[in-house]
Amino acid sequence: MTRTLLKKQRHEFLLKQIKQNPFLKDEELAEACRVSVSTIRFDRAELGIAEYRERVKSAAQEGMSANMAATGEVLDLNLFHDGISVLKTDKSMVFSGTNIIKGQYIYAFAENLALSVIDANAALVKVANVKYVHEAHAGESLVAKSDVMRVKEKEFIVRVVIKANMNEVFRGKFSLLVAE
């Protein structure tokens, strides 16, 4: 095999590995490719792949913006009773190569409404019983309704149902313990 072909295959492998796990270090990549660390660094530079520290920082920032995007807009809120919220979905929330919204956005949307209805800045989710009933797609508006089912001292049981186009997408029951 020619050097050019080996290099091309290594570049494809690197791109695939870093896409799957942006937290791989140069040493780990070098070992997986059976080349030196300096070769991996040259390959990363050629491919425009950031160094480990920058990839970690970027992944953290994406995670923060993902959480910010999944808060939705509260339309109606009766504290300690019920609430309604809407989340407009977009392509940034989908699984790669699909139009299907990732579960993490739907869960975060539901949890945020549950926290809002009990007026808690911080609460521990002791138990979450959730069910993803149907897939949601980019461009759909998700409508979440919450009900406080039970209150016992600082512990709340909140049910959240999320629908898209009148079809149930998600339902969950959260046991929340309000933090001091």
Side-chain angles (χ1 to χ4, degrees), residues 45-103:
E46 282 184 45
L47 295 168
I49 298 171
E51 66 178 72
Y52 173 77
R53 214 177 10 221
E54 290 301 314
R55 291 194 311 268
V56 170
K57 184 178 166 185
S58 176
Q61 288 172 336
E62 286 176 21
M64 285 176 61
S65 64
N67 286 340
M68 298 290 281
T71 58
E73 179 185 355
V74 176
L75 300 179
D76 187 27
L77 189 63
N78 300 307
L79 290 179
F80 310 108
H81 191 263
D82 60 15
I84 298 174
S85 186
V86 174
L87 174 67
K88 296 186 185 332
T89 62
D90 61 40
K91 285 282 191 189
S92 71
M93 301 174 174
V94 300
F95 288 105
S96 179
T98 73
N99 199 29
I100 300 170
I101 301 297
K102 292 179 180 179

Side-chain angles (χ1 to χ4, degrees), residues 11 51 62 125 162:
H11 282 193
E51 66 178 72
E62 286 176 21
V125 177
I162 300 175

Side-chain angles (χ1 to χ4, degrees), residues 2-157:
T2 66
R3 285 181 130 183
T4 310
L5 186 57
L6 287 172
K7 185 176 182 179
K8 184 180 179 195
Q9 288 176 339
R10 189 174 64 243
H11 282 193
E12 289 172 3
F13 178 78
L14 283 175
L15 289 169
K16 181 180 174 189
Q17 291 300 305
I18 289 177
K19 183 177 182 181
Q20 288 177 350
N21 182 1
F23 305 115
L24 289 172
K25 295 181 179 177
D26 289 345
E27 294 78 11
E28 295 168 317
L29 293 167
E31 188 177 316
C33 292
R34 296 187 180 104
V35 295
S36 70
V37 173
S38 59
T39 300
I40 292 297
R41 289 181 179 147
F42 283 125
D43 288 347
R44 275 194 310 93
E46 282 184 45
L47 295 168
I49 298 171
E51 66 178 72
Y52 173 77
R53 214 177 10 221
E54 290 301 314
R55 291 194 311 268
V56 170
K57 184 178 166 185
S58 176
Q61 288 172 336
E62 286 176 21
M64 285 176 61
S65 64
N67 286 340
M68 298 290 281
T71 58
E73 179 185 355
V74 176
L75 300 179
D76 187 27
L77 189 63
N78 300 307
L79 290 179
F80 310 108
H81 191 263
D82 60 15
I84 298 174
S85 186
V86 174
L87 174 67
K88 296 186 185 332
T89 62
D90 61 40
K91 285 282 191 189
S92 71
M93 301 174 174
V94 300
F95 288 105
S96 179
T98 73
N99 199 29
I100 300 170
I101 301 297
K102 292 179 180 179
Q104 67 197 46
Y105 291 99
I106 296 170
Y107 180 89
F109 177 44
E111 183 183 28
N112 282 324
L113 181 57
L115 290 171
S116 295
V117 79
I118 64 169
D119 196 28
N121 289 330
L124 173 67
V125 177
K126 289 178 57 177
V127 178
N129 183 353
V130 301
K131 183 172 185 179
Y132 293 88
V133 180
H134 194 275
E135 61 192 40
H137 300 95
E140 292 179 329
S141 289
L142 303 181
V143 178
K145 294 182 181 181
S146 66
D147 294 300
V148 176
M149 299 173 66
R150 188 170 67 224
V151 181
K152 188 175 181 181
E153 294 181 26
K154 293 184 181 188
E155 189 172 338
F156 295 81
I157 306 292

